[in-house]
Structure formats: structure tokens, C-alpha cells
Amino acid sequence: MSDEKLNTERRDFLSKGAVLAASAGVAAVSVAPSVAVAKPASNVGPIEVKGYVKDPKNLKEVLTNAKKIMDTCAACDIAGPGRCNGKGPCGESTPGMGGKRRSFINNVEAFEKLHFNMSTVHNVKKPNTELELFGVKLSMPILTGVTGGLTYNMGAKGKLAYDGTEMTESKFVRGIVEGAYNAGTLGWAADGIGDPIETYRERLTVVKKFKGRALAQIKPRTQKEIFERIDAVQAAGAPFFAIDIDSAGRAARALPGKTVEPKDVKKLREIVKYAKIPFVAKGIMTPTEALMCVEAGCAGIVVSDHGGRVMSSTPASLDVLPGIVKAVRDSGSDMVILFDSGVRDGGDVLKALALGAQAVLVGRPFLRASLGGGAKGVEMMFKKMHTQLVSTMVLAGVADVKKVPADIIYKEA
Amino acid sequence: MSDEKLNTERRDFLSKGAVLAASAGVAAVSVAPSVAVAKPASNVGPIEVKGYVKDPKNLKEVLTNAKKIMDTCAACDIAGPGRCNGKGPCGESTPGMGGKRRSFINNVEAFEKLHFNMSTVHNVKKPNTELELFGVKLSMPILTGVTGGLTYNMGAKGKLAYDGTEMTESKFVRGIVEGAYNAGTLGWAADGIGDPIETYRERLTVVKKFKGRALAQIKPRTQKEIFERIDAVQAAGAPFFAIDIDSAGRAARALPGKTVEPKDVKKLREIVKYAKIPFVAKGIMTPTEALMCVEAGCAGIVVSDHGGRVMSSTPASLDVLPGIVKAVRDSGSDMVILFDSGVRDGGDVLKALALGAQAVLVGRPFLRASLGGGAKGVEMMFKKMHTQLVSTMVLAGVADVKKVPADIIYKEA
Amino acid sequence: MSDEKLNTERRDFLSKGAVLAASAGVAAVSVAPSVAVAKPASNVGPIEVKGYVKDPKNLKEVLTNAKKIMDTCAACDIAGPGRCNGKGPCGESTPGMGGKRRSFINNVEAFEKLHFNMSTVHNVKKPNTELELFGVKLSMPILTGVTGGLTYNMGAKGKLAYDGTEMTESKFVRGIVEGAYNAGTLGWAADGIGDPIETYRERLTVVKKFKGRALAQIKPRTQKEIFERIDAVQAAGAPFFAIDIDSAGRAARALPGKTVEPKDVKKLREIVKYAKIPFVAKGIMTPTEALMCVEAGCAGIVVSDHGGRVMSSTPASLDVLPGIVKAVRDSGSDMVILFDSGVRDGGDVLKALALGAQAVLVGRPFLRASLGGGAKGVEMMFKKMHTQLVSTMVLAGVADVKKVPADIIYKEA
Amino acid sequence: MSDEKLNTERRDFLSKGAVLAASAGVAAVSVAPSVAVAKPASNVGPIEVKGYVKDPKNLKEVLTNAKKIMDTCAACDIAGPGRCNGKGPCGESTPGMGGKRRSFINNVEAFEKLHFNMSTVHNVKKPNTELELFGVKLSMPILTGVTGGLTYNMGAKGKLAYDGTEMTESKFVRGIVEGAYNAGTLGWAADGIGDPIETYRERLTVVKKFKGRALAQIKPRTQKEIFERIDAVQAAGAPFFAIDIDSAGRAARALPGKTVEPKDVKKLREIVKYAKIPFVAKGIMTPTEALMCVEAGCAGIVVSDHGGRVMSSTPASLDVLPGIVKAVRDSGSDMVILFDSGVRDGGDVLKALALGAQAVLVGRPFLRASLGGGAKGVEMMFKKMHTQLVSTMVLAGVADVKKVPADIIYKEA
């Protein structure tokens, strides 16, 4: 932007949400166990949300519900094609958003700066969006993002949900995983720093239910703790798993059971060796570190800066993607490269693919869909993004998501 | 922009219009038959608009009326020289505006970034603005844009118009075509995706009335459907016609009678061959596709991204214009090159001409003029743009619109 | 910015002022005779302005008055160092501001983009700001801008002024000329397109009063009319005069007695030949035209785009200044080069000097000062700018306004 | 900014604060003796501030208090990671902010434009933040900024403070110095232009109290006056001292006892020679002047543009830092290079270190902390910045603040 202009109203809005943010600081990865916080604050039962649409019938109703139930996200332009760009009234109160919000904005702006060479003289009418990822067939190159602690972080805990019963973390995860399953793709169950192993196992029950078609992530804990959780993930039948090593910012303030840490090549290699399913390292932002993952034998990486939420000043994930793809492919490796951070619609998906990603993870839009409409909401959102992806492929003349030419992206003369 | 800053009020405004937009999605080309929707929702007669100026006497009154009658466009700075730039409160609710509005904004910003070498030491006092296009003499290098489905898309259906009777699509088209005729230039009647052939024929009656001095466009339907409509257009006496092949985004969701599709060179050639009047391909955004149109034998192209409304991320049409002009002229072709998307005033017209266009199409300003004042409104708007064009030509030292030097555009040192 | 973001409130504000602007169009140089309009609309006497400060004692009070008396300028940040940048609520309603306001904004932004190499290790304590211009000694390199038709254009006509009597054009001009005189520099009396020779002569009475220390400008009329007015200017004792040839935009709509036109080299040479005092051509924006002025024998030029008000898209005057200075000096000419358009404070003055101007003209700040406080107000504003200039010279290590090194301007590494 | 957009509300806000600013002008370094102004305007005792939190327990409460007690600073995003960027409602009313506020904004934007190469594949878990400066051991590379005249400039004079007694300048300084001491680092007592020697000595009592662990600055007065104050500073036991030579803007308006002036190499050398403790020249913005300080024998410099407050147009201090570091180190000098202007959080600190600074000074955040919570508030703010610094070091893979690699900063491909 050079510049982001904040007006007075927004500042007012922010001050309302500032209480939550005050205790969060820069490395705002929550350490509260997510099960506990799902309980209502008092024993008077769940709080009813005014204006809630029961059994939402379209995406607009789903997202209206999300807007109602969340305290800390304004769900900007909820029915539009996704104007959630960090410039709305979210500010510092957005859960887990680190630093000066610049990183989050960078991620979205990087997409806004890329344009397509619009193409209309060809015969691509019905593009193919199917692909295979670690042996799993997907209807489209879109997975949910790795999102957890939602009821707590979004202020939805203890409130009545779209289905007339209390919103809980389990219900949120179920929406994500089942909705992705129904859309023919994959959703993630997440590990929270403060979650004891029991909570994590509870979280994995939904992964188990959709055996082979649901995923799980693990925090960058001590090696021993990671191994214990890998066992659980494998038992739940996930086809692959990820560790978000970009959660390591709290390393210097590690507490027993809540330790996160960066992982050097040696430790990554131990994890690869221990696991019986493919291991994906999430949170890679430089070519050098991508090559270290190749060296460690990782099955894949997710180019991601944690949605711009762990460090105040990171370049846009999309901007570093091409350099990482080039470095990995030049090294002769065919390691899977996924992308995450800033994807808002189907057009964005095609951009990431044109820059070399094989598939993308999308967080905030699905998070809202699950909070506002559960599995049905998540499925509707997947369908919308699929329609956008197909329409964009037609106007870019792209026939297959597995072969997206780099030159569909416009280059200034 | 680098960045667009949206403030809270605008977001509020947007949410009001979100209902319409919700169903529109990315490829927002409407499929509703435009005749049907012109009827009032109930049988209580047309809705009266408060503050309407009857028989408007100047452009300001015309545009005040437009502002009143439209639900989905704020007609920003209606009396000024056209600050409609996609950064106002229009947002996603603007009819047919795809994606993240970035493309629409790009189009306008591209004009704002170009500046003239102001020139005062010369003797150009009364510049010539006349030219000939496909054998038709024009008073100025400005045509209306191809705009249709207006009463529906702009929320004007069933309302009382400037003349005291109900606003209808026919009335809108009449305003466009007659106003352009009276100004000594050409207006377009438009084809809507959902329009059956009967509706289209009804639309062409006005073209027939101004035989030889009115134009019509056809959607990129199946070849057979296109041929049927070419017959109709020729019967109406249009001197040339256009197909907006950039409407193809919905190709994968084609329904019987509502099919649109991209057109490869073979199909374009069939159309050229079938038609007895010149065929102009509208929606060309790359040099490669322009050359394919040359190869197919098209009489002309319109460099256009459909006003930035069909794809979320296209570069500014103005930015791709010079490359297209160079490619076509370097190939030895003298195919007519028209320009569309983002023109707001007479200064913009001169910029497009300096970059190689032979004439421009202007949509939104005339659309408002016809909704707010019919043929008289459209004529006033043409006169205003003509005055601006002449004044700008004097201060740029340009004597003739047929010979606009490229070097009137300022280049940074 | 690339982009300027306008919020809803501003658009609301603009709509209020839109009536005036509606009739102005692009080439907004007023043609109404400025004497006539100074009379109150009815015979009920001057309108009292609420909140007016009688006999203002400081600049803040002067500018508060200006804010009160003007209908069409918000006098943004009146007490601050001049944030009048075209991004406030002025919009199209600003009198005589052409096109899309981009040119006006460009002028101010060009200054904002230049920075000084701050310098503190030296011994410049009391810099010299005196210079000589066409034989006239000036206390500082700052003249007023050429501003006229003020009571009409600014909406001040028929209102009570700072001194308890009605505001008139004569009173405005007197404030400008006398205030500049008292500050040891020069102010301009202006010619309006619609002013008959009698009005112009009336305007020159104040120039006569400050014989030898007051200036006058002439519109680019027919040669015969210009000669007639040169006679008048010389009779009034002005040490030099200017013609603002950038007013030629209305050339194609010339009316008897209200003709303006561009001037080719031949005509400029005739004027040089006819005049007995130095002739300065105002409104030069390219090196080519500057060299044509050298060729015509002009004594000086003013690099100016008429404050960005006559053409919708001109580059910043400051941005073209260095190229013009280089071309003129490389040609061996020592023609005087003045600068105008966008200067807001003493720091801006030093920037223009560092880029090669010998002195600057400043419009809007003095215009407000005269409307709000007459000669005393104008003098206070000159003193403020002088203080700013001196302070900036100290921190840039510049000892003399006649020798301002180019390298005080910061260059990015 | 390309662009900074100011909306109407902000302008309204600004006008409220304009009275103070009106008299300040460009070189807004206050000349009022700061002791005198600490007294309440009338004899009715201190004014109670509504909504004040007594004995604040966390940073949010401290900063809420600061917001309450200050008239001229909105303390934007007080609980967040520091969005004080000059684009809020501060405007010209911010005490001592010169010119067009562009310099202040530049400083903050320069930090926002730099991004880190996020790094997660390594084993840095507990980075070291300790260092030694002129023989003093510091817990972190962060000192307070040199801030004085606070109760007057911030509008806090005569108001009840966080501890239930009247806010005074002495209380403010005590908070700064003691808070820094408790955090294991150093705070500054400041010299005001209008402060007589007695006031300055009074100010130094707090430096004396924390002997060897508190600092003092001197204005660039006459050499004789400087020597007198150096004696006082040395007697108070400060380990080193600074002169802010960038305060010289008022040189041309020097009054007896209130003279400030630039200092050439000869005068700097005299000061070096006179002082028995290390002398740091504050306000260096070019490589040339940094080398002059080396030549003069200065022990250190502070790269600083006085927070962007003394000159309207300076480049960002951060942008000139690398060139200065290179020039000094290439000359073979190991002169200490400190940095000041625009640092808002721990991430910013790491950026300045990556660009070659050895430690940074931070003004506004500590100023608010002391006004709102005294020594406890200042200590909390230091702890927060330390946590941010450590977290950022982990995610950048930096083990020690004394060895920060330049390549942790992201470079666009």
C-alpha cells in the first residue's frame, strides 16, 4: 500500500475489542485448552444470538449467522466474493493476529496485485478441477485451512449455534471436516498449544469418523509429544498430517506441556522417520528452508506465514511462492508444495496454482461457514469457490488444474 | 492502488445491497430475460420516486433523476466530471460487477495515472472531432457502451421515469439509441443471456427506427443462435455488429437457450463468413488474441474487459491497449481497434486515442443519462464529453482526432 | 497512491457544492465579469457571516474568517502548515478546478514526495532570503499567485468582510497587493476572461497606488486586446507583467470580448516587441515550449499548470520543473524561471528553488489571507512562510536563496 | 503513500486541537520553561480526569490513563502493538510536530515496508538480548527516547495523575528514568530550550538518584552554556550524554538564554574535548555528517530526525541508516551508532539492528507509559517490547542481539 488509512470509526471499533487483544501480545497463538473454554461462562445455559437464521438455506444466511456469533471478526462483505483483507474493523482484536497486521494485509494484497490475461478466443468450456494428493482423490485443489480454538478465539463460546444448540469446538471441527468431505475434498482438525493429549484425542474422533478423508495437524511440541500425537493421528486414519512449525514464536516462554519450538533438519528427519504416513511441514517462507525440508525427507510443505498471524512483518506468502517452487524443482525434488495464507476466492486459487502450488488451504472463509452453518455451510462455500474457479479457468483458457500455465498471469509491459 | 481503503460506512452501505449480489457470484452476467423483469412486481402500478425532476433541463437534473431511480448504483459525483471509480459505495452490489471489484477500479485508475504534456505555444484553436467508422460518419469518436438489462440490474424496474410513465427496458434502449443519433454518433441495443429471440427482436425495433445509425450486439451463444440473431440485426439495418465474447465465463453452467461459450478462430471465421455486415469481436485483452481476430478476418475488435465485470482480476484495459495496437499494426493489419472500459470524460477519450484506439465506447455515464433523462439526457452527456474533448485537444495542441500523436502523453523523466 | 480514497461523508459534502460546479465543466475558467458579481444578489445589503472575528490579530483568526466567508473552499487545516491538498471536502466544487481534480492533487503530492537531507553539522545560522527580480528587490523569493474573481468564485460576494463592510473584488485585490508590498515583495492584480477593459482598468488602480511594487496579468486574448491592456499595465507602473497562456482551453468556444487562445512563437514575439516592460509567459509545462519562449524573447516563464485547474490530467508542475530548467540553461539562456502550483509552505519554497526556480508564486494560502484579513492577513501569511523558509534553510544548511544547491534534496539509495 | 487519505472526521478532530498548534509553527520545539508550566493555570488545584484507573495493573490500564491525561495525542491503539503512525487524529496538534507531518509518517512507514524472512527450521529457542553500551550492561538494546516538556506539550499539566497527585514534569522524568532502570536499561532526562540552568539541575536530581544508570541530554546552546550543563551532567553521574543538534531550526530567531545553533566540526570537537564522559551527537541523517562526527571524535551518534518533528520533509530515519552505517564502518571507525525515530515494537527494534544500529531509542510509547503509570508503566512497556523482540528473534532465527545478520530482512525477487 504503501499505506493503509485507518479512519476514526475503525479506531473506535478497535477499542471495543481491545480487551481481548491486550493480553495477547505479538505471538498471539492461544495457550488455553480449547475444550474448557467451550463451556459457557456461567451455568445459565447458552446465550441466544439475536437475528440468527435457523437452518440456513444459502451462503448468505450461513455467513449472516457467522457475523452474529463472532465477537472478534466482522466477517466483512460476508456475501460478496471475500473482501476480508485486514483493512476492515478487525484490527488487533482479530484472534491470533500478530504484530501490526501488516503481514495479514500483505497476504491479501499480493493476490490483488496479480491479474489474469483474460482469454476468450479458445474452446475451453468445461475445465477439469480434479486431482490426487498423497493418493487421495480430490474434487478440487482446495482444502480447508488449519483452524482451531475457534469458539474461544472468535468469541462464539457459550452461544447458541445455527442448529439451536450450544456452539462448541467439536461442533466447529465437525462442520469443517464433514463439509469438506461432502464437497469431495479434505478438512483439518487442529491441535491447540494448550490442548492436553486427551483433548487432542477427542478432536480426532471426527477424523476417525471420516477415515481416510480427513486430516489433522500437530503443534511443534517436543519430539516425544509429537510422536505421541502422530500415533493418535495414524490411529484415526488420516492419509497425511502436518506440523505448523511457524507456531514456534513462543519458544522462549515454553511451559511444561505447552512447549513449542523451531525444528532443525535433524528433528524434522526424526519425525519423517517416525511417521508411517506422509509428513507435511507447514510454515515455510524461504527457498533455503524449503530445501532443508527436501533434505529432511518431508513429503510436502505448506508455504504459509500462518495467515500473517505469528510475526508482525512477513512478506506475502504468495510473493515468496515462486522462488520456493523454483528452488525445490531445480533441486530435482517433486516434494508436494501446498499454499496457504490470503486465499479468498476461486480466482485466488488459480493464481496460486499458476505460481506453482499444487493445491491451496483456505482458512477464514471456511471458518465462518462452519460457525454459521456447520457442514452444510462449509459445503456451500466449497461449491461457491469451485464455481468461481471454473469460471476463472474458462476466462483464462485453462483446461486442467493439474496443468496451469504460468503465463496466464499478466505481466506489465 | 496499491490499496483500496474501505471505511466502515461503506461496508454498511454494501450490506444493504448485498441481497442482490448474493445470488450473483463471480460471473455476474444476468440470465433473467430483461423484458419480463421490466414489469412491476405487483399490479399497483409504477412506484413513484421522491425528488424526481420532471422534464430535466440540464445534465445535473438528468443525473439527479438517475441517482433517484437506481437502487444499485450511487451515481457518484453525478454532476462532476465523472468520479465513478468503483471506490464509492457501489461495492459488490453494483449489477454484474464480478470478483473483487479490482478490475473495475484498475480500469479507471489506468486513466488517472496518465497525464498530458500541457501545450500552450501553438495555434490549434478549433480542433476537428469528426471521423468515419465502417462507412458511418460520426461527429465525435465516442459511442455508447453496450449496456442492457438496465431496468432490472439497476433496480429501476417498475418505477416512474423522468417522463411520468413507467421505466422499461425499451425506454432505456430508446434513450441510448436516439440520444446518440441526435448527437451525431451511434448507440447500442444489447442482447441479454436470458433473452429469447422474441425479446431480442423487440429490442431491435429501435435500431430499425434509426436505420443505419444504430448498432446491436449479440451474446456468444451457439453458432446457430448467433446466425439467427445476425439475420435479425441485418434486417434492422445496423451498419455493423459486435459479439462480446468476454461473456463466456458461464460456459460450464450452460443451460438450453442460455448458452455462452468462448469462440476459437474457426468459429470466429464462420461468423465473419456468415455476416454481410462488419463483425466486431468485443472483449480482447491480449495481443495474441487480437492477432487471432485478424486471422479470423474480423472487421474490428473492442479492447475491453467488459468494464471489469466478468473476471475478478484483469489488468486495466487501457494498460493492454498499446501492446495490442502494436501487435496488430506490426502484423500489417488495419483492423479497426475500438476501446471500452473506464472512460469517464472527454480527457479520457483523448488518452485512449493517443494510445491507438480509433474510437471509444462509454457505458456508465450514458446508462445514467438514459435512465434519468432519456434521449435528451444522453444527448446532453455526449455534448458535455465533446466539450471536454475539444478543450483537452486545445490544451494538448491536437488538431484532429484522426491523427492524435502518442507523445501528448507525459512520460516521467 | 496511486489512489485516492474518498469516503462517503466527503461525497455527501461534495453534493452540496455541486450546483455551482455543474455549470463549470472542465475548462472552468470563469467568464463572468468580476465587478458585476461583487454586488449583493438583492438590495437588502451585505449578508452577515456568523462567527466572524473582527480586526483579526493573528493568522489563525484571519483564516477562521476566510473559512467563514467562502462557500466553496473548506480552507482545510487553516492554522496548520497548509494541508490544502485537494483531498479534503473541496471536490469538484472548488472554483475553477478542472477535470478530475487529479492535476491539483499531483501538484501537492509532488512536494510531499521530495525530502531534504537534514543537515546539522555546519554554521549557517542566519540565512539570507533577499533577491532581485527584474530589477525589483524582494525580501523573499515568494510572490502571491495570480488570483482573481475571488469574491464570485469563492462565494464571498455580498457578504460582510473582516472590516465590517461588504466584501468586494477590489477589497480582495487591495489585500493581496498591499499585503505583499508590506512584506517587501510583490502581489498580482488579475484579469478575468469576462472583464471588459473598464473593469481591468479599475483593477489596476491598486497597482498604480503601489507603483513599481505591484504586478498585473493579462488573459491570452486577441493580440489587439492584449496590446490595449499592456498599455494600461505600463501606465500603472508595474515592473513586469504576465500572460497566463494556459487559460486557452476555451479557445473553441470564443465569444466576442471573451476570446482566449493559445499563442504560437510568432505571436509571443509580437507581444515581447510591443511591451516596454518584461513579459513573462505563465503556463509552461514542457522543455520544448520553454525553449519556444526563449526563442520568442520572453523575459521569463512561470512553470505552472494553472494550479491544476484547467486540464484534468497534467503532471505535477514540480515534476516537470527540473527538465525545463535543464533545457533552458543548456540552451545558454538566462531567462527567468518562476514556479507556481502546489506551494503550501516555506519548505516547499526551498524545494522549488533547489530544483531550479528563482522564485515562486503562491495562490491559495494568500487568497484565504486576503479574504479573511486583507493586507494585514496577507502580510502575516508572508511572515509565516518566511519563518518556515528560514528554519528549513538552517536545517538544510543553505545560506542564501540565490544559491540553493540541488543536492539538499534526498535521493533514495 | 503514495497516499494518505484524511477523512472529514479527522479534520474535525484536528480543528479542536488547532489552537495550540497555531502558535507553534514549523519549528515547534517549545521554548517555554517546563517547570513553570507544570503549575495549574488557576489556584483551584489539579483537575481530575474522568475514567482514570488508579494504580494501573497492566499495560492496558496504563495506556488508558495516558489517553485520558493527554490533550494533544489520541494514543492510537494504545493496547495494540503500536499503531501510532501519524495517520490518526493527531494532526498538527501533536506537540512539536513540524511541517506537514510527512516526516513523522515516513519514519513509521519505513518500518512497515521492511519484512522478515520468517525462519522456522533451526534451533534458536532462547535468544540473548543483553549487550554493553559505553561500559553499561543493558538487558536489551532499547533505551527510552529523549522526551521532555511533556506535561506542557501533551496537555497534562495541572491534572491529577495515576497516583492521585498532580502530574508534574518531575514525576514524568522520574517514571522514565526509574522504569528504564528497573527494566535493566537506561532512560533520559531532557533539556528544554527555555529551561534555565536551575530547571535543568532540578531535572538532573533523578539522574543522580540512579547514578551510572540514567542519562541526560543537552540542547545545542552556545558552547559556554553547553559546557556549564556538561559539568552538571557529569556531577549527576551519567555514564554518557547527548546533544540533539537537530534542534537547531530556531537558530535565526535566537533569544538570550534560548539560543540553539547548528554545530560545525570545530565546535563538536571542543565539546568532545571538554567532556569527561562519552559524547553522543543526536540528529544525524546523512553519511557526510556522520563522518564529520567521526572526525570530531564523537563517541557515538544517534541517527534521528527528531522523530520527524523539526523539519517538514525528511526521509525516514530508517531509510538513511544503512548508508550511514556503511560510510562509518568503511571509514574504519567503530563509533557507536544508535537509532531513533519511528520504533513502535520489538519487531521494529530487530529491523533497526539488522540494518546496523547497536541499540534504539523509543519515544512515544514510553512517554505514554510514564504519563499513564509512572515507573511501573514504563517497566511494563519495556517488558512487552522485550517479549516481542524475543519472539521475533526466534521466528527470524537470530540468537544474539549483538550479531544480527542483515539477511533476515526480506528482499523482493
Side-chain angles (χ1 to χ4, degrees), chain A residues 397-409:
Chain A
V398 176
D400 192 329
V401 291
K402 293 182 293 297
K403 285 170 254 166
V404 179
D407 66 5
I408 60 170
I409 301 296

Side-chain angles (χ1 to χ4, degrees), chain D residues 238-271:
Chain D
F240 60 94
F241 77 104
I243 296 178
D244 55 330
I245 48 176
D246 48 349
S247 291
R250 296 180 60 89
R253 286 172 291 156
L255 298 173
K258 297 177 180 178
T259 298
V260 284
E261 57 178 29
K263 297 290 178 187
D264 59 18
V265 174
K266 183 169 160 288
K267 284 184 177 166
L268 290 179
R269 197 179 282 133
E270 288 170 7
I271 296 166

Side-chain angles (χ1 to χ4, degrees), chain D residues 139 210 216 231 262 270 311 330 347 376:
Chain D
S139 59
F210 296 92
D231 292 345
E270 288 170 7
M311 201 180 192
D330 283 359
K376 275 176 61 182

Side-chain angles (χ1 to χ4, degrees), chain B residues 77-308:
Chain B
D77 287 316
I78 52 170
R83 202 99 55 74
C84 166
N85 60 6
K87 294 175 192 167
C90 40
E92 261 57 57
S93 63
T94 305
M97 192 169 294
K100 284 180 294 186
R101 229 174 24 146
R102 194 62 246 174
S103 306
F104 185 91
I105 292 173
N106 282 351
N107 280 330
V108 178
E109 286 190 341
F111 279 100
E112 291 188 352
K113 275 180 269 175
L114 284 194
H115 303 301
F116 293 109
N117 287 313
M118 194 175 83
S119 179
T120 49
V121 185
H122 58 75
N123 51 29
V124 175
K125 294 183 206 171
K126 300 203 182 292
N128 175 43
T129 62
E130 295 176 351
L131 75 159
E132 207 177 289
L133 198 61
F134 297 116
V136 186
K137 288 199 178 175
L138 305 181
S139 60
M140 63 186 95
I142 311 175
L143 291 72
T144 73
V146 181
T147 49
L150 259 292
T151 55
Y152 175 73
N153 284 327
M154 288 300 187
K157 71 167 175 169
K159 291 183 182 161
L160 275 183
Y162 53 91
D163 59 358
T165 71
E166 189 184 334
M167 190 69 217
T168 63
E169 191 71 15
S170 294
K171 190 179 290 185
F172 167 75
V173 177
R174 175 69 185 246
I176 286 286
V177 168
E178 183 176 348
Y181 174 88
N182 289 342
T185 175
L186 297 165
W188 295 85
D191 182 16
I193 295 184
D195 289 353
I197 182 74
E198 296 72 31
T199 303
Y200 189 66
R201 287 205 175 103
E202 153 78 12
R203 208 56 81 240
L204 292 175
T205 55
V206 71
V207 175
K208 205 166 203 163
K209 186 156 187 80
F210 297 92
K211 214 177 178 79
R213 305 267 334 162
L215 306 170
Q217 151 266 14
I218 300 170
K219 281 280 161 206
R221 303 170 180 279
T222 62
Q223 296 291 90
K224 198 181 146 222
E225 288 167 334
I226 287 175
F227 295 161
E228 186 182 27
R229 293 189 190 217
I230 289 176
D231 291 345
V233 169
Q234 290 176 167
F240 59 93
F241 77 104
I243 297 179
D244 55 330
I245 47 176
D246 49 347
S247 291
R250 296 179 60 89
R253 286 172 291 155
L255 298 173
K258 297 177 181 178
T259 298
V260 284
E261 57 178 29
K263 298 289 177 187
D264 58 18
V265 174
K266 183 169 160 288
K267 284 183 178 167
L268 289 180
R269 198 179 282 133
E270 287 170 9
I271 296 166
V272 169
K273 205 166 168 181
Y274 185 86
K276 289 168 190 147
I277 55 175
F279 160 46
V280 173
K282 178 166 173 288
I284 300 303
M285 288 288 287
T286 69
T288 307
E289 306 221 314
L291 291 176
M292 287 162 102
C293 291
V294 170
E295 193 190 331
C298 296
I301 55 171
V302 186
V303 173
S304 167
D305 66 351
H306 212 101

Side-chain angles (χ1 to χ4, degrees), chain A residues 7 9 83 119-120 351, chain B residues 6-7 9 11 92 289 313:
Chain A
N7 67 25
E9 295 92 295
R83 202 100 55 75
S119 180
T120 49
K351 286 174 185 177
Chain B
L6 305 169
N7 67 26
E9 295 92 295
R11 293 183 184 262
E92 261 57 57
E289 306 221 314
S313 270

Side-chain angles (χ1 to χ4, degrees), chain A residues 54 65 88 102 114 156 197 209 235 252 268 278 308 323 341 369 378 401:
Chain A
K54 281 199 182 166
N65 283 351
R102 194 61 247 175
L114 284 194
I197 183 74
K209 185 154 186 81
L268 289 179
S341 299
V378 169
V401 291

